[in-house]
Amino acid sequence: MGATGANEAPSLGHAVHTSTQHSPPRASGMQQALRMGAAALAYYLAARLGLLIPYIGSHVSLIWLPTGIALAAYLRWGTSMAPAVLLAAFLINYQIGTPAWAALGIAAGNALGPWLSAQLLGRLGFDAALTRRADLGHYLLAVALGMLVTASNGCVWLRLAGFLTAGQWAPAWLTWWTGDAVGALLGGIPLVAMSRASMRTSFAGRRGRFNMALLGLVLACGLLTFSPWTAPATALTFPLLALPLFLMAVLALRAGVLAASLAVLLLSGTAAWGTASGIGPFAGHDTHAGLLALWSYVTAQVCTGVLICGLAAELLASQRQQQAQFQHASEGIVVVDPEGRLTALNPMARLMLELALKEPPGTPGLALTQLPNGNGTSLAECLQQPAGQPRLLTLCRSDGRRLEVEVQTARYRDARGRQLSQLLLRDVTEGREAQARLAASEERLRAITDNAPALIADHDREFRYRFANRTYQDWLGIAPEAVLGQTVASVLGEAAWAEVRPAMEAALRGEAASYERHIQGRAEERWIHVALVPRRDAAGAVDGFYALASDITPRRRAEQALRQSEQRLRSITDQLPMRVSYVGADERYRFINRAYERAFGRPRHELLGLTVREVIGAGAYGEAAPHIRRALAGETVSFDSEITTREGYRCYRASYLPQFADDGREVLGFVAMILDTTAQKQEERRLIELSQSDSLTGLLNRAGFEQRAHEAVQRCQSVGGTMALLLLDLDGFKQVNDSLGHLAGDLLLRGFAGRLSRSLRGADIVARPGGDEFAVIVEQLSAPADAVTIAGNIVEAMRTPFVLENRSVHISTSIGVVLYRGEPGLTPRDLSKRADDLLYAAKAGGRDRFCIDAAYALNAA
């Protein structure tokens, strides 16, 4: 059978041809040649048989079997059969005296018409098994249309060749079309329907042998009626003509279209052969009348067979469908006769009633009331109920379980006219249990929602309430039943509806939405937070939404109290002379007081949310970062910082106090308190300077000297180099102080201090530790000999008399010099001790001189 646009069709070996939309497998070259030869030979022989009984001239026959052969070849093997059909048609026309050109034209039409029918069948989804009445209808339609081409083409060429007169053209065309159509039905149907599966169905096994016997009877009737050797008596002719029609009907019902069409083909072949031989009831003196009678007989056989096959196919398909539904139905089906005995049970009914599945459907003598476990009595009571009304019934099981079934009764009459009752048993056990579970679940859900401290509601797409819990009664004084079916606007009022409508419309668009609003309850005012959750159907479309309203009055009150507390805190902190802030774990400012505005020149709303680094700058943040990390680790931190700007030098005291979560472990942030200590630091420095200064000479006192000596030693140790420590003592100061008085002594000390400072560099350190003792620290000496030069210069400078008001005083000085090159382990006290020893050595050596370490000991001039 050729598909639309295909060139080939399935081979004869295919069991069932179920679709015309698949191309057949390609055959080998030898197979293709054999197929073309078989098609050409069959076409040629059938054409010779048809030309034995021409109806008009020698070319037009009432029965043209080659058309059916060509159509079957196209359907089975595709367009590749066209050359074989064309060749056979040309030969048969040429042999009966048709000119070659006319024979070729007629042959082209005879090949084209069946091909067009095959193509049309391909488009109509034709099934070659012919098991559907629609397939037979499609076959008749395609044949009728395709034969229009063969008849029109053939008559044109016969007219051109002079074989038809103008008056013969119309009868010849009708005869040609009729003969081709009958031939396509007579020869095409069995060849198209023939397959391995149809052969097994029709002729395999005991049933097949009986069908073969019926086919043999049909052939025998044809031979007895149309054979010269077995010419029957006149009285038997018409019974022999009618009997095959009955036999073909039986074959159609028992074996299907293949066996019935083969019977028609055999009978028609014997009738055509006998009539052409002048034998049989159609071979009278009037040839045309006899041929017309033969055609009518064959046509009646063909049409009757096709009609019966179509009806039988539909009947068998319906029976198979009903049997399949009966056997595989999910409900139990029990058929009971008027005497109350079982006539049929499907497997599901046997399973429900605990009957063996392999027993015959209606166990002989088994009445409905004899079913096991006493279930038959209950079913018998259902037979008394009106048809069509379902009834719930409990079936007992041998294991003690109970089966809840819904029983529905139907009554009908069978082929013998008996009224049968059919019980349809539908197992509703799981459904009833599911309903019970659902009811219990709904009850639990209702109990939960009614006792939940929240408003719970379900709305449809029209904003109507489908469910409301009892909290509506408790909070709003509205009974839940009263709101069902009502719209939100009618329940809450137009003002509230205008407020909540945008959120509810968003929920219907599939978005999760929420809002907060104030409501006036029966006893008190409440603030509620409403969450809207879209509800979707099985297809995923939003068909409504759920509303869950929780009481947030405590939260709103707490927020209000918190805001008031924050306002009080802000009022207090804004008056403090320090920066107060709260920094979260992400190092962003969450709270700042007004001092930040003054410090950074920006409004506080711009600073909130910024990081510490963004506010104080990268440089200051680098100094504060380690302390911030310690605070976020849970440590209370205090530290001093300083900054120098164009405006001046500033000092700060910072304290970070971590804030812990309720668990006492997680740090949420820290409170920062920054106090400007610049004035305090300056005062401290002033006091320190006062405490380290000699009031008489303005030089460093002992405390200042010790501090500077300590710092000088540290610098020498860290950067290297050489420093010198000089201790000086005034020679003869006591005599001046005793002889001239303390005022003269003070003036001498001031003069000595001034001359000593002028003898040194500005970076050198000069101090008066006490009495007439002075000390000098000289750092970064280029060579140790520089210390000798400095000490010598000082001794020399002091030999010049000092003028004390109107008196001139001569004194000298003795110096002990110690050098230090950063040796570890030596302290300023050690150096002072060595210098003091050297000072006493200088005094012991005659004064007015200096003494240095042994390596550099020199006598002053």
Side-chain angles (χ1 to χ4, degrees):
M1 177 167 55
T4 302
N7 295 325
E8 298 187 6
S11 65
L12 184 63
H14 285 193
V16 180
H17 308 286
T18 58
S19 174
T20 62
Q21 299 303 313
H22 298 283
S23 299
R26 292 187 176 273
S28 64
M30 180 62 69
Q31 287 177 327
Q32 188 71 3
L34 290 176
R35 289 173 180 177
M36 295 180 67
L41 180 62
Y43 189 99
Y44 180 81
L45 295 177
R48 293 297 300 268
L49 177 62
L51 291 176
L52 291 177
I53 48 174
Y55 187 71
I56 295 178
S58 59
H59 292 78
V60 185
S61 174
L62 279 171
I63 303 174
W64 190 248
L65 290 175
T67 304
I69 295 172
L71 178 57
Y74 285 136
L75 289 175
R76 285 185 169 275
W77 300 318
T79 307
S80 61
M81 294 295 106
V85 175
L86 182 65
L87 176 62
F90 171 78
L91 290 177
I92 196 66
N93 281 280
Y94 183 73
Q95 286 181 356
I96 60 177
T98 308
W101 56 271
L104 184 60
I106 294 172
N110 289 353
L112 179 61
W115 181 83
L116 291 175
S117 297
Q119 295 301 307
L120 179 59
L121 288 173
R123 292 184 177 275
L124 294 175
F126 175 69
D127 185 356
L130 292 168
T131 57
R132 302 176 300 177
R133 189 166 56 188
D135 293 320
L136 290 171
H138 292 160
Y139 188 85
L140 293 175
L141 175 63
V143 165
L145 296 178
M147 298 312 105
L148 294 176
V149 175
T150 59
S152 301
N153 176 77
C155 290
V156 168
W157 287 106
L158 289 179
R159 180 76 175 88
L160 293 176
F163 290 100
L164 290 179
T165 64
Q168 291 177 318
W169 197 90
W173 183 90
L174 181 61
T175 303
W176 194 309
W177 181 84
T178 304
D180 280 1
V182 173
L185 296 176
L186 185 62
I189 289 179
L191 292 177
V192 170
M194 185 177 297
S195 66
R196 291 189 181 95
S198 60
M199 293 291 289
R200 287 195 299 268
T201 301
S202 300
F203 304 117
R206 182 188 302 176
R207 184 182 181 88
R209 289 192 291 272
F210 184 78
N211 294 337
M212 288 290 292
L214 293 178
L215 200 61
L217 285 176
V218 173
L219 180 60
C221 289
L223 292 176
L224 287 174
T225 305
F226 298 98
S227 174
W229 304 290
T230 57
T234 304
L236 295 178
T237 298
F238 290 102
L240 289 175
L241 288 176
L243 180 60
L245 184 61
F246 169 75
L247 295 176
M248 284 186 290
V250 174
L251 281 171
L253 294 174
R254 286 178 54 85
V257 66
L258 177 62
S261 60
L262 284 176
V264 173
L265 181 61
L266 291 175
L267 183 62
S268 300
T270 57
W273 176 71
T275 302
S277 301
I279 301 168
F282 307 129
H285 297 288
D286 188 349
T287 303
H288 281 74
L291 291 176
L292 185 59
L294 172 64
W295 176 84
S296 301
Y297 178 72
V298 172
T299 303
Q301 297 289 340
V302 171
C303 293
T304 302
V306 169
L307 180 60
I308 293 175
C309 287
L311 294 175
E314 293 289 339
L315 178 61
L316 291 174
S318 177
Q319 289 178 346
R320 287 193 295 267
Q321 181 179 4
Q322 291 179 0
Q323 185 63 23
Q325 292 175 349
F326 181 81
Q327 292 295 327
H328 300 94
S330 59
E331 295 86 7
I333 302 175
V334 179
V335 181
V336 185
D337 64 12
E339 290 76 28
R341 298 185 181 277
L342 303 177
T343 62
L345 294 91
N346 72 337
M348 182 56 68
R350 290 180 174 274
L351 187 63
M352 290 181 176
L353 299 173
E354 294 190 320
L355 292 175
L357 295 177
K358 295 185 178 180
E359 291 182 2
T363 304
L366 183 61
L368 184 63
T369 55
Q370 294 176 330
L371 290 173
N373 304 319
N375 293 322
T377 304
S378 301
L379 291 175
E381 294 176 358
C382 295
L383 294 176
Q384 309 304 321
Q385 299 293 325
Q389 293 186 1
R391 176 182 177 181
L392 288 176
L393 189 67
T394 301
L395 298 181
C396 299
R397 309 279 293 181
S398 59
D399 57 3
R401 294 187 299 112
R402 293 182 177 274
L403 200 65
E404 297 287 335
V405 296
E406 184 182 80
V407 183
Q408 194 168 6
T409 306
R411 297 182 177 87
Y412 64 94
R413 293 187 180 276
D414 64 1
R416 291 185 292 173
R418 295 186 307 166
Q419 180 171 319
L420 301 179
S421 298
Q422 177 178 289
L423 298 177
L424 182 67
L425 312 180
R426 181 178 292 107
D427 186 356
V428 297
T429 305
E430 292 186 1
R432 299 274 292 180
E433 292 176 352
Q435 288 179 352
R437 291 193 298 269
L438 179 60
S441 176
E442 289 181 347
E443 183 63 26
R444 288 193 300 270
L445 179 60
R446 170 63 71 173
I448 293 172
T449 56
D450 283 346
N451 291 280
L455 297 177
I456 302 174
D458 182 13
H459 303 80
D460 60 17
R461 291 197 61 85
E462 285 72 37
F463 306 103
R464 297 183 182 276
Y465 285 87
R466 303 199 326 169
F467 170 83
N469 68 339
R470 195 174 61 192
T471 311
Y472 273 81
Q473 178 73 41
D474 300 336
W475 286 11
L476 303 177
I478 303 175
E481 300 79 9
V483 303
L484 298 182
Q486 301 294 319
T487 63
V488 176
S490 62
V491 173
L492 301 182
E494 291 297 335
W497 167 239
E499 181 182 350
V500 305
R501 181 173 183 174
M504 292 187 174
E505 290 177 343
L508 289 181
R509 293 194 299 268
E511 305 170 9
S514 63
Y515 60 88
E516 294 182 2
R517 60 184 301 265
H518 177 265
I519 62 172
Q520 178 63 51
R522 291 193 305 174
E524 59 179 340
E525 296 181 353
R526 295 176 187 267
W527 277 96
I528 60 174
H529 176 271
V530 183
L532 305 178
V533 181
R535 186 185 64 249
R536 301 181 184 273
D537 58 17
V542 178
D543 61 355
F545 60 91
Y546 301 105
L548 176 64
S550 55
D551 186 358
I552 61 170
T553 304
R555 191 196 78 187
R556 292 297 291 260
R557 290 174 179 171
E559 290 175 351
Q560 183 178 6
L562 179 60
R563 284 194 299 272
Q564 294 174 351
S565 175
E566 287 183 349
Q567 290 174 356
R568 289 192 296 269
L569 178 61
R570 189 178 300 279
S571 299
I572 295 172
T573 57
D574 283 348
Q575 305 304 316
L576 294 177
M578 67 176 66
R579 299 204 301 264
V580 180
S581 63
Y582 176 75
V583 180
D586 56 356
E587 297 189 16
R588 293 184 180 275
Y589 286 99
R590 304 302 181 194
F591 170 85
I592 57 177
N593 68 342
R594 191 180 302 277
Y596 273 84
E597 295 182 346
R598 296 190 297 268
F600 296 100
R602 298 172 63 182
R604 73 178 74 187
H605 68 269
E606 294 183 5
L607 300 177
L608 288 175
L610 298 180
T611 64
V612 177
R613 182 188 185 98
E614 292 171 339
V615 173
I616 68 176
Y621 178 77
E623 182 181 353
H627 306 290
I628 291 176
R629 287 192 289 270
R630 291 170 57 192
L632 291 178
E635 181 181 352
T636 299
V637 181
S638 294
F639 64 96
D640 292 314
S641 64
E642 59 183 16
I643 183 171
T644 302
T645 65
R646 297 175 183 175
E647 288 76 18
Y649 172 81
R650 310 297 297 179
C651 297
Y652 299 96
R653 180 68 177 177
S655 297
Y656 294 164
L657 286 72
Q659 181 195 8
F660 294 92
D662 293 338
D663 59 8
R665 293 190 299 272
E666 182 185 2
V667 178
L668 303 177
F670 63 90
V671 175
M673 293 181 291
I674 314 297
L675 179 63
D676 188 344
T677 60
T678 304
Q680 178 183 349
K681 290 293 184 181
Q682 291 175 343
E683 180 63 18
E684 288 178 356
R685 184 174 293 108
R686 189 182 69 82
L687 294 176
I688 290 174
E689 291 176 353
L690 289 176
S691 65
Q692 294 181 350
S693 177
D694 178 41
S695 58
L696 178 62
T697 61
L699 301 179
L700 293 175
N701 61 10
R702 181 175 297 279
F705 169 72
E706 291 178 352
Q707 175 67 29
R708 297 299 182 86
H710 179 75
E711 294 172 358
V713 169
Q714 285 185 331
R715 284 193 294 270
C716 190
Q717 289 177 347
S718 60
V719 301
T722 302
M723 64 169 280
L725 174 61
L726 290 74
L727 287 184
L728 297 83
D729 194 6
L730 274 67
D731 299 330
F733 174 75
K734 187 175 184 304
Q735 291 83 355
V736 173
N737 193 46
D738 290 343
S739 62
L740 300 180
H742 293 293
L743 178 58
D746 291 341
L747 292 176
L748 179 59
L749 290 176
R750 288 177 183 173
F752 185 89
R755 188 177 295 180
L756 176 62
S757 297
R758 289 192 300 272
S759 302
L760 298 171
R761 299 173 302 178
D764 295 336
I765 299 170
V766 183
R768 175 181 173 239
D772 61 345
E773 184 181 87
F774 289 82
V776 176
I777 298 175
V778 181
E779 296 183 78
Q780 297 298 319
L781 295 174
S782 59
D786 292 344
V788 175
T789 302
I790 293 172
N793 291 337
I794 295 173
V795 171
E796 181 65 28
M798 298 308 168
R799 289 175 178 162
T800 302
F802 289 90
V803 178
L804 305 179
E805 292 184 346
N806 55 358
R807 293 180 182 166
S808 177
V809 177
H810 292 271
I811 65 168
S812 62
T813 183
S814 298
I815 304 174
V817 182
V818 64
L819 297 175
Y820 179 64
R821 300 179 181 83
E823 294 91 342
L826 291 178
T827 65
R829 186 178 296 276
D830 296 332
L831 297 177
S832 296
K833 174 90 170 45
R834 290 174 57 185
D836 189 59
D837 292 341
L838 292 172
L839 172 61
Y840 279 99
K843 283 183 174 293
R847 302 185 180 183
D848 193 19
R849 67 184 64 226
F850 65 89
C851 279
I852 196 169
D853 288 330
Y856 301 99
L858 294 174
N859 291 325

